[in-house]
Amino acid sequence: MATSLSRCCYTSSSTLTYHPMLNKPHVSPPLHIPKNSQKPVNACSLKEICKRRNLKEAFQCLNNMHSDRNTLVIFPDEAYAQVFELCASKKALSQGKQIHALVIKSYHGYKSLFLDTKLVFMYGKCGSLLDAEKVFDKMSQRTIFTWNAMLGAYVSNGEPLGALETYREMRVWGISVDAFTFPCVLKACAMLKDVDCGAQVHGVVTKCGYDSLPFVINSLVAMYAKCYDLDKARQLFDRMGEKEDVVLWNSMISAYSAYGLSIEALGLLRDMQKTGQVTNSYTSVASLQACENSLFRKTGMEIHAAILKSSQNLDVYVANALISMYVRCGRMTQAAGVFNRLENRDSVSWNSMLTGFVQNGLYNEAMQFFHSLQGAGKKPDQVSVISVVAASGRLGNLLNGMEMHAYAIKHGFVSDLQVGNTVLDMYAKCCCVDYMGRTFEQMPDKDFISWTTAIAGYAQNNYHVKALALFREVQTKGLNVDAMMIGSILLTCSGLKCMSQVKEIHGYIMRKGLSDLALQNAIVDVYGECGNIDYAIKMFEFIEFKDVVSWTSMMSSYVHNGLANEALELYCSINETSLELDSVALVTMISAAASLSALKKGKEIHGFILRKGFMLEGSMASSLVDMYACCGDIENAYKLFTSIQNKDLVLWTSMINANGLHGRGKTAIDLFYKMEDENLIPDHITFLALLYACSHAGLIDEGKRFLDIMRHKYQLEPWPKHYACLVDLLGRANRLEEAYQFVKNMPFEPTAEIWCAILGACRFHSNKELGEIAAQKLLELNSLNPGNYVLVSNVFAASGRWKDVEQVRMKMKGSGLKKTPGCSWIEIGNKLHTFIARDKSQQNSDEIYQKLAQITEKLEIEGGYVPQTKFVLHNVEEEEKVEMLYGHSERLAIAYGLLNSPVGTLIRITKNLRVCGDCHTFCKLVSRFFGRELVVRDANRFHHFKDGVCSCGDFW
């Protein structure tokens, strides 16, 4: 409200009467108290009692004065005014009303302008604006003190418009203002953020000659600061000559702190100290607020030391500011020290600590502190509820979160938007999407954060269609869409693998101009996730100022699309920039090394991690264990695993999976039991790794038992992948009928993965009847995985059904699918060398083939090797089948390894497909007759060949 405030009145009348029905105020005659109304009041020691601020004694004294007529007397104005002031300072509305009633009863007809003014002041301070207005409106006479009291009542009760309207009436009726009028009016302007109105009042202040008074200047500085005009506030501050008023300094420091200008605020504190100006608690609080993060921790601690030096007793407001400062700086131990030494803790003290634990990621400590809060008899308020619900969500503790939600409903907090939004987020993080949806629907008011939280909750919990539907609703309602909401929708598109949807959202981003760096990185990532690596590369190249997330997104896209070599090349490129790799980027690089079985590169990244001082914990630790396992170095994987102190569930699962990969089923089971002893609760992924280990070690009874444990002990409903593991286990053991019955009794329709397990076992054990059933079921599913069609084709080829083979190949072609060519690679001299079946593109291919011929000849002569052409599933002559076997990619890699590695050293080879039976025999013979240990990783597992024996026991 910008009201015209143009003239200043200098009338000298002390009393004015205001009647709304009249056109102007009139001057009343001097107040005359009737003699019969001047009933004496006993003074006793009332003045001293009020100075001691003892309301109970003041009441007793008033009673004594009324009962004893012979004591020393004073006029009621003086006696009651002191008690009204005491009630105002204590905010004792009930007692104030009682005394008001006593005055009316005891002094009927007695009118006192002085006492009525004190009543307006008292009611205003006690929060009863209505009673203050009633007294004010009934007054036939008013002084400037009365008007100022009414202005103060409006401001202190959060009614700035009422204060400005009252001030306007004062100006209209020509009431003479004084210096004490302006602080209230300026505060009202500040509350409304109305700098124009404030500037007009400033003009009146200058005209009236009050612009040199320190308390008026303080009010002006505070008004400009709160109206976002810090330059004007600083001009006023600097114009002051001798700044001897601590309030002025505090106003300016507080203004800078409130707007996040920490350096300016703390600079002003140092200037204040240089002048020798004595600080007070308000200075400390404003200065501590300026210490907004860990960069200002040292300054905050210096302020803390100064506070302790200046006073033994810590004021609760200063203590709360100290706690908040240490919380912002991530120093919860120091915050707890301040809290523990504080005797008079209020709700702010408790909530500051509780919020601090949550903000600093100490969620378990937050829950423990909340129990202490309850144990101290404190009732949780809205701030407490928000903190505990947030902690419950991040801990995944659904029960605690639901208890706090019920508490919020019971106490009426749930209607608060921030509480409702935090509850939404908690249910999303606890994967309780149904409850999240119901809570969202029942919210009486929803803001932008509510919609964003609900969409993110659906997206993160793989409810992609619901997330998109809610996003459409946001667009229909015409609500604003920001980068965070778009990020959630991109995550949804990634989950749906829907390229058309991704392109549509990308277009929307471009049209709305939302394309900031975070979204550009997300677009690179989602194109990679959806398999469109060309678009991902284009978007990556389009980003002008790439950050570490940009590079990580591109590297991740390469890894996801089977281009780990390109990812590692990008890793080398980023090292040439000034960017510092973070843990996410390094985990991505570890995954690239793992997928290529590039042990040397993996060790290089591990060394980089150690040199840079990264903590080996969480995803970093589990990725390194997985990398060593995928590179065939199970010993180093185990060493790393045992060296980590705080092992989480993911790390245990990684180590169980590592042993499964290497056929160490019993070791995997032992690890599972040790994990249980550590009171860790396994999840679906843990059981998947365990069943996989049982499958590759032929542990049938153990596999069955763990599926039962999963369902009955841990109440986990198995996924199709779990059933596929058990089917595979039974099939490998030639218990095909049992496997088939198990498939028929499953609580859902068998997936392609399950029929593949049956079909693969039927092919290996030559069960044509069941193989035919599995092949037909697999074809009916119309899978988009080319490997499924290849498996069916191979089964038909093994039976000589070449027409059926041709039909399957035509169906593949019609679906746009291609067979993945066999490919093997070997790491020599810190470089990966790749070979494709019968490939002659290598520079030294003649030398490689010559070496391979020598190897084959030696194995035939000394080892009795005879090619098993039944593994060549092509309708060609026998001689050509032999040639095809000799050209398999893993053999070329072995020949290259024998040519280019020192005698006696281990050779590591990785193949993208399953090793055929003939190549498996070939590898066993090479390990025996060439004295080399071979570690071969195929699409299923690891094979350790040594002295003519494979670790798989010919069971793969």
Side-chain angles (χ1 to χ4, degrees), residues 680-696:
L680 286 170
I681 299 173
D683 61 7
H684 283 86
I685 307 297
T686 310
F687 278 106
L688 195 59
L690 194 59
L691 289 169
Y692 180 89
C694 292
S695 173
H696 285 280

Side-chain angles (χ1 to χ4, degrees), residues 540-700:
F540 176 71
E541 290 172 348
F542 176 77
I543 300 172
E544 187 175 358
F545 301 105
K546 300 176 179 70
D547 62 3
V548 69
V549 180
S550 314
W551 290 87
T552 305
S553 297
M554 193 63 242
M555 289 188 289
S556 179
S557 296
Y558 277 134
V559 173
H560 182 76
N561 287 276
L563 300 170
N565 251 329
E566 286 78 354
L568 289 175
E569 287 172 8
L570 208 60
Y571 167 71
C572 296
S573 299
I574 195 174
N575 283 333
E576 295 171 5
T577 70
S578 59
L579 290 172
E580 285 286 331
L581 291 169
D582 60 11
S583 59
V584 180
L586 290 167
V587 167
T588 304
M589 286 302 90
I590 294 166
S591 299
S595 66
L596 290 171
S597 294
L599 182 60
K600 288 182 181 177
K601 183 59 73 174
K603 284 183 174 180
E604 180 186 314
I605 298 166
H606 187 184
F608 178 87
I609 289 165
L610 295 176
R611 288 195 304 276
K612 292 294 182 179
F614 285 95
M615 293 290 290
L616 290 183
E617 58 185 14
S619 59
M620 185 83 78
S622 55
S623 296
L624 280 169
V625 167
D626 186 60
M627 181 274 292
Y628 279 115
C630 288
C631 291
D633 194 347
I634 190 70
E635 289 75 18
N636 268 325
Y638 189 72
K639 282 179 185 177
L640 181 63
F641 172 78
T642 54
S643 70
I644 293 164
Q645 297 297 316
N646 299 315
K647 300 177 180 69
D648 60 11
L649 179 63
V650 178
L651 184 59
W652 282 95
T653 303
S654 296
M655 198 63 228
I656 291 169
N657 184 61
N659 281 282
L661 268 175
H662 290 265
R664 299 181 177 186
K666 291 188 182 295
T667 307
I669 291 170
D670 290 341
L671 275 169
F672 176 79
Y673 288 134
K674 285 178 183 177
M675 185 195 76
E676 283 189 314
D677 291 340
E678 296 291 327
N679 295 318
L680 286 170
I681 299 173
D683 61 7
H684 283 86
I685 307 297
T686 310
F687 278 106
L688 195 59
L690 194 59
L691 289 169
Y692 180 89
C694 292
S695 173
H696 285 280
L699 302 174
I700 298 171

Side-chain angles (χ1 to χ4, degrees), residues 351-369:
N351 284 331
S352 295
M353 283 298 296
L354 188 57
T355 305
F357 283 122
V358 175
Q359 288 176 353
N360 286 281
L362 303 169
Y363 307 122
N364 283 313
E365 288 82 353
M367 299 307 296
Q368 291 168 10
F369 186 81

Side-chain angles (χ1 to χ4, degrees), residues 273-286:
Q273 291 168 334
K274 287 176 185 176
T275 63
Q277 175 70 52
V278 177
T279 61
N280 60 16
S281 60
Y282 293 101
T283 317
S284 301
V285 169

Side-chain angles (χ1 to χ4, degrees), residues 774-835:
Q776 290 303 322
K777 292 287 186 182
L778 197 53
L779 290 173
E780 287 170 10
L781 290 173
N782 292 316
S783 170
L784 294 178
N785 182 354
N788 297 342
Y789 293 98
V790 171
L791 179 59
V792 173
S793 173
N794 288 346
V795 169
F796 290 156
S799 302
R801 297 165 57 180
W802 300 111
K803 286 186 178 180
D804 292 329
V805 168
E806 188 58 31
Q807 286 180 356
V808 172
R809 288 176 180 170
M810 289 299 293
K811 188 171 184 178
M812 269 185 75
K813 190 175 181 180
S815 301
L817 302 174
K818 292 181 179 179
K819 179 183 176 182
T820 305
C823 177
S824 298
W825 56 92
I826 183 171
E827 189 179 23
I828 299 286
N830 206 26
K831 185 180 178 183
L832 289 171
H833 302 270
T834 306
F835 301 90

Side-chain angles (χ1 to χ4, degrees), residues 76 88 191 208 225 299 356 365 429 467 478 532 605 709 757 766 770 784 835 850 860 868 949:
M191 291 167 73
C208 292
T299 306
E365 288 82 353
K429 284 184 168 58
N532 197 326
I605 298 166
I709 288 172
S766 302
L770 184 54
L784 294 178
F835 301 90
Q850 186 178 354
E860 287 174 342
Q868 302 174 69
V949 178

Side-chain angles (χ1 to χ4, degrees), residues 362-400:
L362 303 169
Y363 307 122
N364 283 313
E365 288 82 353
M367 299 307 296
Q368 291 168 10
F369 186 81
F370 177 67
H371 295 317
S372 300
L373 180 150
Q374 291 177 305
K378 303 292 181 182
K379 289 189 71 175
D381 59 11
Q382 283 170 264
V383 179
S384 314
V385 168
I386 289 167
S387 296
V388 176
V389 170
S392 301
R394 282 158 181 79
L395 287 170
N397 192 328
L398 180 60
L399 183 60
N400 274 351

